[in-house]
Amino acid sequence: MTDRYAVIGNPVAQSQSPQIHAAFARATGQDMSYTALLAPLDGFAETLRQFKAGGGKGANVTVPFKQQAYRLSTRTTERARLAEAVNTLKFDGPEILGDNTDGAGLIRDLTRNLGCAVACRQVLLMGAGGAAQGVLGPLLAEAPGALVIANRTADKARALAARFAPLGPVSACAYAELAGSQFDLVINATSAGLAGEVPPLPPGLFAAGALAYDMIYGDRETAFLGYARQAGASRFADGLGMLVEQAAEAFWLWRGITPDTAPLLAALHRC
Ligand code: ATR
């Protein structure tokens, strides 16, 4: 029987996950379906319950339900607990296993697809919301030389840095305080780009050969990558590779097979 999976969000129609998982399933010969499920803003738990009761095997969870999915999980992985958010659920009888593959997806995209090591590098992470929190643990696990969190609301960045300090060399500041610093890797985890905006970065932030990475993606160059191009970054990547890699990690959790992401990334004109 065909195993059923879904991505649950609101909005969800724009999600590329159904196409990505369909490509993985074809390539690995897995008998599974994967659809997009729109949950009412106040109805995530009920949508999830119905999908599970109807025979669903697992689900991805996207905005704005990742924190709720974390709370509804009966068991969580360590990386989900660090992120305090879940983007991948696996149903096993009455049990709901909650995992978070976002950070692993980012690291795999950086280190494998883009050849950008994080170890010993100076890393700037912009943003202190759910997206930033989801990748902090995996970034620190790569042992960067320093990781600075900058955020419009600096206190939120400071609170995050304090929480993650036991895991590595992390500090926090407001954007203006970055003046005079240089970074090898600058990651945009803010939602500013959704409104075509860029955080107010001081000039001269990009070290020689620096990679600018935007966790969002779209049909056109993102606002942050456009900014980075004229501000002296050397390399540029949007979040499409992270999306594909977090999906591959979820696919492994569900099916026990790691799909080859290279053909899909090439088809999406990423590599
Ligand atoms: P997400 O789950 O996408 O991280 P979020 O938790 O609402 O969403 O967090 C959004 C992040 O983008 C926050 O860090 C926010 O900064 P504040 O904490 O100061 O609100 C940041 N952000 C949103 N719009 C921004 C803008 N125009 N300039 C700079 N930062 C912005």
Side-chain angles (χ1 to χ4, degrees):
M1 205 174 80
T2 303
D3 289 338
R4 293 176 57 214
Y5 298 88
V7 54
I8 306 176
N10 186 333
V12 78
Q14 82 297 347
S15 173
Q16 303 228 23
S17 293
Q19 293 90 307
I20 293 171
H21 281 283
F24 289 164
R26 264 195 313 276
T28 58
Q30 294 292 296
D31 185 11
M32 58 184 277
S33 69
Y34 187 110
T35 51
L37 271 183
L38 178 72
L41 287 174
D42 62 352
F44 172 71
E46 180 55 19
T47 302
L48 186 67
R49 194 195 62 74
Q50 283 181 14
F51 180 65
K52 186 170 176 292
K57 294 275 185 190
N60 282 131
V61 180
T62 188
V63 175
F65 300 127
K66 291 184 186 183
Q67 283 81 12
Q68 260 191 74
Y70 175 63
R71 291 192 293 273
L72 285 170
S73 301
T74 57
R75 194 158 68 86
T76 49
T77 60
E78 191 189 349
R79 57 193 186 181
R81 289 193 291 278
L82 275 176
E84 295 179 344
V86 152
N87 78 333
T88 304
L89 295 165
K90 182 180 178 183
F91 308 140
D92 190 6
E95 184 167 87
I96 302 176
L97 173 66
D99 193 7
N100 192 315
T101 66
D102 285 331
L106 171 66
I107 298 301
R108 217 156 39 184
D109 194 33
L110 285 171
T111 58
R112 240 182 33 179
N113 301 335
L114 299 165
C116 172
V118 176
C120 304
R121 299 296 167 88
Q122 302 295 306
V123 180
L124 172 61
L125 180 66
M126 299 190 290
Q133 188 166 319
V135 300
L136 261 170
L139 275 171
L140 287 169
E142 293 293 300
L147 195 163
V148 178
I149 310 169
N151 195 45
R152 184 173 58 182
T153 312
D155 279 351
K156 274 168 68 179
R158 291 195 189 99
L160 262 193
R163 184 157 92 75
F164 282 85
L167 301 184
V170 58
S171 61
C173 66
Y175 289 112
E177 295 173 71
L178 292 169
S181 301
Q182 287 214 313
F183 298 91
D184 306 302
L185 171 60
V186 179
I187 302 170
N188 181 23
T190 75
S191 54
L194 301 178
E197 292 171 8
V198 179
L201 293 170
L205 276 186
F206 295 98
L211 171 68
Y213 193 101
D214 202 337
M215 281 171 53
I216 62 171
Y217 61 90
D219 296 336
R220 294 185 297 134
E221 183 172 70
T222 68
F224 169 61
L225 294 183
Y227 162 84
R229 205 171 284 284
Q230 55 80 30
S234 302
R235 304 181 59 207
F236 312 88
D238 68 13
L240 197 56
M242 175 176 170
L243 179 79
V244 170
E245 296 297 344
Q246 64 77 28
E249 188 86 1
F251 194 89
W252 177 83
L253 183 78
W254 294 330
R255 313 300 300 181
I257 298 171
T258 301
D260 182 6
T261 54
L264 187 55
L265 287 167
L268 294 169
H269 306 293
R270 173 62 197 290
C271 276

